[in-house]
mmCIF file of all heavy atoms in Angstrom:
data_model
loop_
_atom_site.group_PDB
_atom_site.id
_atom_site.type_symbol
_atom_site.label_atom_id
_atom_site.label_comp_id
_atom_site.label_asym_id
_atom_site.label_seq_id
_atom_site.Cartn_x
_atom_site.Cartn_y
_atom_site.Cartn_z
ATOM 1 N N MET O 866 142.491 90.704 98.594
ATOM 2 C CA MET O 866 142.776 92.096 98.931
ATOM 3 C C MET O 866 142.691 92.367 100.426
ATOM 4 O O MET O 866 143.175 93.399 100.907
ATOM 5 C CB MET O 866 141.797 93.021 98.201
ATOM 6 C CG MET O 866 141.914 92.998 96.689
ATOM 7 S SD MET O 866 140.526 93.854 95.894
ATOM 8 C CE MET O 866 140.784 95.529 96.449
ATOM 9 N N ARG O 867 142.088 91.465 101.181
ATOM 10 C CA ARG O 867 141.820 91.716 102.599
ATOM 11 C C ARG O 867 143.057 92.176 103.397
ATOM 12 O O ARG O 867 142.975 93.194 104.112
ATOM 13 C CB ARG O 867 141.213 90.475 103.240
ATOM 14 C CG ARG O 867 140.787 90.712 104.695
ATOM 15 C CD ARG O 867 140.695 89.393 105.458
ATOM 16 N NE ARG O 867 139.587 88.600 105.014
ATOM 17 C CZ ARG O 867 138.390 88.533 105.629
ATOM 18 N NH1 ARG O 867 138.192 89.269 106.702
ATOM 19 N NH2 ARG O 867 137.441 87.761 105.170
ATOM 20 N N PRO O 868 144.210 91.490 103.314
ATOM 21 C CA PRO O 868 145.358 91.931 104.115
ATOM 22 C C PRO O 868 145.794 93.366 103.803
ATOM 23 O O PRO O 868 146.095 94.139 104.728
ATOM 24 C CB PRO O 868 146.458 90.921 103.729
ATOM 25 C CG PRO O 868 145.711 89.709 103.281
ATOM 26 C CD PRO O 868 144.507 90.248 102.571
ATOM 27 N N ALA O 869 145.799 93.724 102.522
ATOM 28 C CA ALA O 869 146.219 95.082 102.144
ATOM 29 C C ALA O 869 145.212 96.113 102.645
ATOM 30 O O ALA O 869 145.590 97.205 103.102
ATOM 31 C CB ALA O 869 146.371 95.174 100.632
ATOM 32 N N ILE O 870 143.927 95.779 102.573
ATOM 33 C CA ILE O 870 142.893 96.710 103.045
ATOM 34 C C ILE O 870 143.013 96.898 104.555
ATOM 35 O O ILE O 870 142.949 98.029 105.056
ATOM 36 C CB ILE O 870 141.490 96.190 102.678
ATOM 37 C CG1 ILE O 870 141.301 96.189 101.158
ATOM 38 C CG2 ILE O 870 140.412 97.040 103.337
ATOM 39 C CD1 ILE O 870 140.003 95.549 100.704
ATOM 40 N N GLU O 871 143.188 95.807 105.282
ATOM 41 C CA GLU O 871 143.304 95.898 106.737
ATOM 42 C C GLU O 871 144.499 96.753 107.137
ATOM 43 O O GLU O 871 144.425 97.541 108.091
ATOM 44 C CB GLU O 871 143.401 94.494 107.334
ATOM 45 C CG GLU O 871 142.089 93.711 107.243
ATOM 46 C CD GLU O 871 142.204 92.287 107.754
ATOM 47 O OE1 GLU O 871 143.362 91.802 107.887
ATOM 48 O OE2 GLU O 871 141.163 91.661 108.015
ATOM 49 N N ALA O 872 145.599 96.624 106.404
ATOM 50 C CA ALA O 872 146.777 97.439 106.693
ATOM 51 C C ALA O 872 146.497 98.914 106.420
ATOM 52 O O ALA O 872 146.900 99.803 107.182
ATOM 53 C CB ALA O 872 147.965 96.960 105.864
ATOM 54 N N SER O 873 145.775 99.186 105.339
ATOM 55 C CA SER O 873 145.468 100.574 104.963
ATOM 56 C C SER O 873 144.511 101.232 105.954
ATOM 57 O O SER O 873 144.564 102.450 106.159
ATOM 58 C CB SER O 873 144.864 100.611 103.554
ATOM 59 O OG SER O 873 145.775 100.156 102.589
ATOM 60 N N LEU O 874 143.637 100.443 106.567
ATOM 61 C CA LEU O 874 142.643 101.001 107.488
ATOM 62 C C LEU O 874 143.252 101.457 108.813
ATOM 63 O O LEU O 874 142.576 102.134 109.606
ATOM 64 C CB LEU O 874 141.537 99.967 107.755
ATOM 65 C CG LEU O 874 140.577 99.720 106.592
ATOM 66 C CD1 LEU O 874 139.608 98.578 106.921
ATOM 67 C CD2 LEU O 874 139.793 100.969 106.235
ATOM 68 N N GLN O 875 144.495 101.114 109.056
ATOM 69 C CA GLN O 875 145.251 101.663 110.190
ATOM 70 C C GLN O 875 144.537 101.490 111.531
ATOM 71 O O GLN O 875 144.356 102.440 112.294
ATOM 72 C CB GLN O 875 145.555 103.147 109.943
ATOM 73 C CG GLN O 875 146.335 103.407 108.672
ATOM 74 C CD GLN O 875 146.501 104.881 108.359
ATOM 75 O OE1 GLN O 875 146.090 105.745 109.131
ATOM 76 N NE2 GLN O 875 147.099 105.183 107.222
ATOM 77 N N GLY O 876 144.106 100.276 111.796
ATOM 78 C CA GLY O 876 143.523 99.977 113.099
ATOM 79 C C GLY O 876 142.013 100.122 113.174
ATOM 80 O O GLY O 876 141.402 99.772 114.190
ATOM 81 N N ILE O 877 141.398 100.660 112.145
ATOM 82 C CA ILE O 877 139.932 100.734 112.110
ATOM 83 C C ILE O 877 139.425 99.368 111.659
ATOM 84 O O ILE O 877 139.653 98.964 110.523
ATOM 85 C CB ILE O 877 139.447 101.832 111.146
ATOM 86 C CG1 ILE O 877 139.989 103.186 111.572
ATOM 87 C CG2 ILE O 877 137.923 101.870 111.081
ATOM 88 C CD1 ILE O 877 139.738 104.288 110.555
#
Side-chain angles (χ1 to χ4, degrees):
M866 296 169 65
R867 185 202 290 261
I870 294 174
E871 290 176 344
S873 297
L874 288 174
Q875 302 174 4
I877 301 171

